[in-house]
Amino acid sequence: MERSGSPFPEPLEAAARHAAAWLDGLDRQPVGARADAATLRARLDVPLTAHGVPARQVVDELARDVAGGLLATGSGRFFGWVIGGALPASLAADWLTSAWDQNAHNFGTGPAAAIVEETVGKWLREIFGLPGHASFALVTGCQMAHTTCLSAARHGVLARRDWDVEKRGLCGAPPVRVVSSDLAHGTIDRALRLLGLGTEHWTRIAAGADGRLAPRDLAAALATSPGSPTIVVLQAGDVNTGAFDDFAELIPLAHERGAWVHVDGAFGLWAAASPAQRHLLAGAAAADSWATDGHKWLNVPYDCGYAFVADPAAHAGAMAYRATYISYAADARDQADWNPEWSRRARGFATYAALRQLGRDGVRALVERCCEHARALVAGIGALPGAEVVAAGRINQGLVRFLDGRPGATAEDHDRRTDAVIAAINAAGEAFFSGTTWRGRRAMRVSVCNWQTDAKDVARTIASVAAVLR
Ligand SMILES: *Cc1c(COP(=O)(O)O)cnc(C)c1O
């Protein structure tokens, strides 16, 4: 190919070859990482040269030196944590995002990026069944989606008490109380810390046996200081069991008490795409804010999350800023009004591409396929000798554990056995799972988020676990 003298084609073509080799090899290589920290450090922690290295060489050596240190998260047999793969169109659009290198601060700094985000926000609201007037932000993940939504919540609940929190801060403000079940994700904890709300005013109510916050318990908690500004955090999809709070009961109850309701739907909000699963979200559209991810179930490359707020004034009140050196659009959406970042990646392109590749029906099929495969994995592994189902789970999550077969084995022995079997499965390399402590006992989490996972992957995984157990 004729080179124009541009410095770009050579490293980019090298990167494309390395990427294709990695993606093509996913089915044949171990799903877990093989290289330990010392090995990776010995290869990668080289002295920084004074004069640099040619771009092509940098790319080739990087691809060579990370070998064995990458988890095959794009594999259809990767079931660890809650991690999706990358749809082809989305991955390609993500490459273009880097090539175009737009600063998606606002319309002026990247017009096409702004319009794409505008469009994506609309599409996502439709998929999730959220109010058409809800404002939104494309952020790095659900962590920042919580932080964004809860900053709007903080604004909203304090504005109702005539307290301008953006101006006056939290010193001297009426204490903001937060109420959730004790299953709330760690990202809520961090968002509360970052926003200065702290964790001391956070009431964590023990969830019921079904993993849901009982309406009676929420009502009792809210009755304890009826006048205080309150944020209720509910969950659509618990990381262990996939449990959904009962939105239809809980949200009206919280609203009666003047509370702001935020929903953590990192992966569970996607249940809205499936007529078979949608009932789990009944009533959720009445919440005040919702957080979810693109990099989990939609299979957009990292990193990508979405925040939605029912009251755009509260959202903009927390976020918007006008700088004199920047011009603002009269006829387009400026992302800076809604996003916590200033300069930022034009991450809308990857989501746009994922949604365009799948279409509405493709999103539905992706969600339903993952749910079906998760059920098959939990049942199939749970039925093996020496295994049992801990939680059949909801949507795409579930829990199993492994039993120590020795007579008189204790609960601690089963815990040790469970961790040892997880490690052995991952070492065998056919599949990858992560562990958890659920109700005080160790378990293996089954989480299916990958667009590529198929029935063959499920069968191959169950066979590998069976071999480990023998
Ligand atoms: C993954 C997850 C989060 C955090 O999302 P990030 O995208 O990793 O920031 C929050 N809540 C739940 C339920 C999750 O599964």
Side-chain angles (χ1 to χ4, degrees):
M1 193 170 111
E2 188 68 35
R3 300 268 179 231
S4 60
S6 162
F8 288 109
E10 201 190 0
L12 286 180
E13 284 161 18
R17 272 194 304 277
H18 292 302
W22 163 255
L23 295 167
D24 290 348
L26 285 177
D27 221 36
R28 296 181 298 276
Q29 68 171 47
V31 183
R34 284 292 180 271
D36 61 12
T39 305
L40 293 168
R41 202 171 288 121
R43 287 194 223 135
L44 292 159
D45 186 4
V46 294
L48 187 60
T49 64
H51 303 295
V53 171
R56 164 74 193 272
Q57 185 185 339
V58 172
V59 171
D60 286 342
E61 292 183 1
L62 180 62
R64 177 196 71 197
D65 293 342
V66 299
L70 302 175
L71 294 173
T73 55
S75 160
R77 283 166 287 107
F78 187 92
F79 307 114
W81 304 288
V82 186
I83 287 186
L87 286 157
S90 192
L91 172 58
D94 195 60
W95 287 6
L96 287 172
T97 304
S98 293
W100 294 333
D101 199 20
Q102 302 292 287
N103 182 349
H105 176 79
N106 69 5
F107 181 80
T109 60
I115 300 301
V116 159
E117 285 196 41
E118 225 178 68
T119 307
V120 156
K122 243 179 0 203
W123 288 348
L124 289 171
R125 265 190 326 232
E126 280 170 26
I127 289 172
F128 298 136
L130 301 181
H133 63 265
S135 51
F136 57 88
L138 275 66
V139 291
T140 50
C142 202
Q143 172 71 76
M144 283 314 293
H146 289 328
T147 310
T148 302
C149 289
L150 292 175
S151 74
R154 185 181 66 169
H155 175 102
V157 297
L158 286 173
R160 282 178 220 154
R161 306 287 301 264
D162 292 322
W163 187 271
D164 180 346
V165 70
E166 282 71 37
K167 191 161 127 205
R168 303 174 76 182
L170 284 169
C171 294
V176 175
R177 171 177 63 160
V178 179
V179 183
S180 72
S181 89
D182 61 348
L183 298 178
H185 193 267
T187 45
I188 298 296
D189 187 293
R190 301 204 327 158
L192 298 179
R193 284 153 54 193
L194 288 169
L195 291 168
L197 295 171
T199 51
E200 208 173 274
H201 304 285
W202 181 13
T203 306
R204 273 166 278 196
I205 303 168
D210 57 359
R212 291 147 67 101
L213 179 55
R216 181 177 2 97
D217 293 343
L218 178 64
L222 293 177
T224 58
S225 58
S228 55
T230 302
I231 301 168
V232 172
V233 178
L234 302 179
Q235 191 158 234
D238 168 62
V239 281
N240 285 315
T241 66
F244 284 64
D245 278 324
D246 183 347
F247 304 107
E249 283 272 339
L250 298 171
I251 294 177
L253 209 153
H255 280 167
E256 266 165 42
R257 300 282 183 178
W260 177 292
V261 180
H262 173 67
V263 175
D264 178 354
F267 57 91
L269 211 53
W270 292 94
S274 157
Q277 303 291 343
R278 189 174 290 160
H279 64 98
L280 295 166
L281 286 163
D288 300 285
S289 55
W290 306 262
T292 187
D293 269 317
H295 53 217
K296 289 177 177 173
W297 222 343
L298 185 58
N299 284 255
V300 168
Y302 284 97
D303 37 29
C304 184
Y306 315 114
F308 300 89
V309 179
D311 176 3
H315 187 176
M319 220 49 87
Y321 186 87
R322 286 289 181 267
T324 51
Y325 69 97
I326 297 172
S327 52
Y328 296 90
D331 58 352
R333 176 181 178 275
D334 283 324
Q335 299 95 309
D337 287 339
W338 315 103
N339 272 81
E341 312 86 357
W342 194 267
S343 298
R344 54 187 284 275
R345 182 174 183 77
R347 63 173 53 81
F349 293 127
T351 297
Y352 185 86
L355 291 172
R356 289 261 293 150
Q357 185 188 332
L358 291 173
R360 273 200 309 273
D361 207 48
V363 176
R364 176 197 58 73
L366 165 64
V367 168
E368 292 185 343
R369 209 162 59 232
C370 289
C371 294
E372 184 190 318
H373 295 319
R375 275 195 298 276
L377 278 168
V378 171
I381 295 172
L384 295 171
E388 72 178 20
V389 174
V390 175
R394 290 274 185 199
I395 56 171
N396 60 338
Q397 312 288 315
L399 299 174
V400 295
R401 69 172 184 156
F402 303 103
L403 304 173
D404 185 328
R406 292 174 304 179
T410 63
E412 287 70 31
D413 293 327
H414 299 317
D415 283 350
R416 273 189 291 275
R417 171 72 177 160
T418 297
D419 282 327
V421 171
I422 296 170
I425 294 166
N426 293 346
E430 282 280 280
F432 188 96
F433 292 94
S434 53
T436 189
T437 299
W438 192 69
R439 300 200 184 288
R441 300 264 68 98
R442 297 296 292 162
M444 184 172 90
R445 293 185 49 250
V446 174
S447 177
V448 185
C449 295
N450 195 292
W451 68 281
Q452 297 209 80
T453 301
D454 62 15
K456 279 203 302 290
D457 288 316
V458 171
R460 197 168 150 184
T461 298
I462 295 171
S464 174
V465 176
V468 165
L469 289 173
R470 283 194 300 271

